[in-house]
Amino acid sequence: MAKSSSLVTKVSAQRRRRVHRPRRSPTKPERAAAAVALSHEKILLAGVDAAADMFGSLAGCPSSPEYPVVPDMDDRDVDGAVDDAPAAAAGRRASDETLAVHAGEKLGSGAAETDSIATPIVSGTTHWFRDSADLIAFREGRRRSFEYGRYGNPTVKVLEEKISALERAEATLVTSSGMNAIVATLLALVPPGGHVVATADCYSEARAFIRDKLSNMGITSTFVDLDDDMEALECVLDESEVTMFYADSMTNPHLKVVDVTRVAELCHRRGALVCIDSTLASPINQKPLALGADVVLHSATKYIAGHHDVLAGCVSGSEALISRIRAWHHDLGGAISPNAAYMIIRGLKTIALRVEAQNRTALRMARLLEKHPKIERVYYPGLESSPWHGVATRQMAGAGGVVSFDVASDLRGVMRFVDALELPLIATSLGGCESLVQQPAVMSYWGKSEEEKAKNGIKDNFVRFSFGIEKFEDLRDDILQALEKI
């Protein structure tokens, strides 16, 4: 051991002695060899990207091209997120896995200028300037800085750049909740006298705000059902001057998928904006902006934060549109705290790993439940039997971690099933590490009329299951034993 220790000491000492030699330009043969090596590296990277395709990686799924990577996404440079990155990194597109880790930090503007690996929490609510000239430079956009916490924060800026990179967006605004992002977006982009067309099954609180609150501001609304085709939307677009089309894709809890590309074509032809709430899909599974949408919303509480411990929302799009939304957001005052932003940054770094695991578990479980004698119907766009399977495979890289299903029983029987589950928690929300389960007739719709439940497709035997990152076999065994209790 003594001999080995002295050897290590000797080698270490040799490594510390550096000889400084003048650099020389590479010769022509060396440049040619380097070009060949770079070409081989690109081929290897392409193979890695192909292997990372979400749908293709799910057990039992056919490989590409039946489940393609989302069109155009993989070839786009994230210009808005990596302007100041080294030239070598800017020359090729980073993957979602890499962007989730480095965007806004090593790949980004360096808003939280530091050499710390972990993003610092800048808790100060106000920022000072060296002198009047410094302040004027900031006001004129010649100096990057911050002024007041409600208008921006270095920690929050890192999070916004990270989400922009994942969404392939020019800009992102992070807010204190998903609902705050929805309200700020609608108020900023739909003027008095405007007209909003929304899907009948969009988020219930967004639907109520559009129907009840916007109407008090002179804004009209129409709710359409896109279950069969686009005829209802086309009719409204032909008959009215529509300002915005608003929809969730996927929808909650029935997991319907809007054909974003087709909707964008129809709406843009008539001058209407397209806003997609992509919360249930996550930025990993779907890129609405790349499909033609103008803005994309998320309840960042769900997949983006991923740990059931922080409340937030976000909206991404062009710099021009996000600037308009940001101005309203400043007035509404829905700023997120730097501590919450840090928690989301920390959670977001594993989003690709989490979502891939949730995609895989959900699809395997949906297939298992579809064949179970005590299950009447399974709602999941990853299943070939789903009416939304075709559009999902065209525009999504995975079908998400939520599976809904009808149990062959009544209200009390399904309550026994839910109560017999040992792993999932009976709770609302979704997208976190822990699996959650709910019977909407007992949770969200308890005390509601039969008419209202029927209108929203909520039956007494309907269950929504949000899968976490637990081992599939453990969840499978738990669900099977609980079904036996019916």
Side-chain angles (χ1 to χ4, degrees):
M1 291 297 294
K3 185 174 182 180
S4 299
S5 298
S6 62
L7 179 61
V8 171
T9 303
K10 183 176 180 181
V11 171
S12 299
Q14 289 175 343
R15 286 178 177 169
R16 285 198 294 270
R17 291 198 295 269
R18 296 181 179 177
V19 179
H20 296 280
R21 296 185 177 89
R23 294 183 178 181
R24 63 176 177 82
S25 300
T27 62
K28 187 173 182 179
E30 288 172 338
R31 289 197 300 271
V36 171
L38 179 60
S39 175
H40 285 234
E41 180 186 4
K42 289 181 177 178
I43 292 172
L44 289 171
L45 286 171
V48 171
D49 283 346
D53 173 21
M54 285 290 183
F55 256 140
S57 68
L58 298 178
C61 277
S63 58
S64 185
E66 183 169 345
Y67 289 97
V69 175
V70 180
D72 300 326
M73 270 196 289
D74 288 341
D75 296 323
R76 288 176 175 239
D77 290 329
V78 190
D79 296 326
V82 295
D83 286 342
D84 299 328
R92 66 176 185 270
R93 182 197 66 80
S95 67
D96 281 346
E97 290 85 347
T98 298
L99 291 173
V101 175
H102 293 297
E105 296 165 299
K106 189 171 185 180
L107 302 179
S109 67
E113 297 173 353
T114 176
D115 57 4
S116 170
I117 292 177
T119 301
I121 302 172
V122 181
S123 58
T125 58
T126 189
H127 300 257
W128 62 279
F129 298 89
R130 292 188 299 270
D131 49 36
S132 298
D134 188 37
L135 173 57
I136 292 172
F138 167 73
R139 287 293 185 193
E140 294 180 348
R142 293 181 284 107
R143 180 181 182 278
R144 186 182 67 225
S145 186
F146 299 87
E147 180 183 3
Y148 186 61
R150 185 156 52 87
Y151 306 144
N153 170 276
T155 308
V156 176
K157 181 65 174 175
V158 170
L159 175 58
E160 290 177 342
E161 289 193 8
K162 201 176 286 289
I163 295 173
S164 289
L166 289 172
E167 288 290 3
R168 312 299 191 257
E170 290 180 0
T172 292
L173 169 67
V174 172
T175 67
S176 58
S177 70
M179 194 61 203
N180 185 271
I182 292 169
V183 169
T185 298
L186 290 168
L187 292 177
L189 302 184
V190 184
H195 186 176
V196 177
V197 177
T199 50
D201 51 5
C202 67
Y203 177 47
S204 59
E205 292 194 29
R207 184 169 66 242
F209 182 80
I210 292 170
R211 183 189 62 226
D212 303 330
K213 303 297 193 301
L214 290 186
S215 62
N216 294 331
M217 305 175 192
I219 296 172
T220 57
S221 59
T222 303
F223 293 88
V224 298
D225 192 338
L226 301 184
D227 281 5
D228 299 321
D229 50 44
M230 296 288 175
E231 287 186 11
L233 175 60
E234 289 185 90
C235 288
V236 179
L237 289 170
D238 289 338
E239 296 171 0
S240 308
E241 189 172 336
V242 176
T243 310
M244 175 185 285
F245 172 80
Y246 180 96
D248 292 18
S249 187
M250 299 178 290
T251 65
N252 180 22
H254 292 96
L255 308 175
K256 300 174 184 178
V257 182
V258 172
D259 188 338
V260 178
T261 301
R262 179 62 178 148
V263 163
E265 290 172 355
L266 293 173
C267 291
H268 291 163
R269 198 181 301 162
R270 294 161 175 83
L273 296 172
V274 174
C275 177
I276 299 295
D277 185 329
S278 192
T279 297
L280 266 75
S282 85
I284 299 301
N285 283 335
Q286 182 173 262
K287 314 283 192 194
L289 299 179
L291 297 167
D294 298 289
V295 288
V296 54
L297 292 162
H298 289 273
S299 169
T301 307
K302 312 303 192 291
Y303 286 105
I304 290 178
H307 289 76
H308 296 139
D309 58 3
V310 62
L311 200 66
C314 62
V315 53
S316 304
S318 68
E319 183 64 55
L321 291 177
I322 299 303
S323 293
R324 290 166 59 184
I325 299 169
R326 195 182 296 276
W328 266 94
H329 171 256
H330 291 168
D331 292 336
L332 292 171
I336 187 175
S337 76
N339 296 71
Y342 169 79
M343 291 175 71
I344 300 173
I345 290 168
R346 187 176 184 181
L348 190 55
K349 294 195 177 192
T350 60
I351 187 173
L353 303 176
R354 289 186 282 104
V355 170
E356 182 176 2
Q358 288 162 319
N359 284 342
R360 185 165 51 248
T361 294
L363 179 59
R364 294 177 70 185
M365 198 66 72
R367 287 174 171 163
L368 182 151
L369 291 171
E370 192 174 37
K371 297 176 182 177
H372 197 284
K374 292 187 178 180
I375 301 298
E376 294 179 345
R377 179 179 177 182
V378 178
Y379 305 80
Y380 190 69
L383 293 174
E384 293 183 2
S385 59
S386 168
W388 315 106
H389 183 71
V391 65
T393 57
R394 289 197 303 273
Q395 71 182 34
M396 298 179 70
V402 176
V403 177
S404 297
F405 49 92
D406 296 331
V407 181
S409 187
D410 58 11
L411 179 71
R412 297 294 173 183
V414 177
M415 289 171 65
R416 286 196 296 274
F417 161 71
V418 170
D419 293 344
L421 291 165
E422 298 176 357
L423 288 178
L425 304 164
I426 301 175
T428 187
S429 199
L430 56 99
C433 294
E434 300 86 359
S435 291
L436 307 178
V437 66
Q438 65 162 289
Q439 185 180 358
V442 176
M443 181 169 278
S444 308
Y445 287 83
W446 183 256
K448 305 288 186 182
S449 67
E450 293 300 319
E451 180 183 1
E452 185 172 356
K453 287 194 291 186
K455 182 179 178 182
N456 290 281
I458 303 300
K459 296 181 285 187
D460 288 345
N461 64 340
F462 182 77
V463 173
R464 194 194 76 174
F465 209 118
S466 172
F467 290 100
I469 60 172
E470 302 95 339
K471 190 174 180 64
F472 166 77
E473 287 78 9
D474 295 335
L475 290 166
R476 176 200 62 196
D477 294 346
D478 190 25
I479 290 176
L480 292 178
Q481 68 83 20
L483 286 171
E484 292 303 315
K485 300 295 192 300
I486 298 174

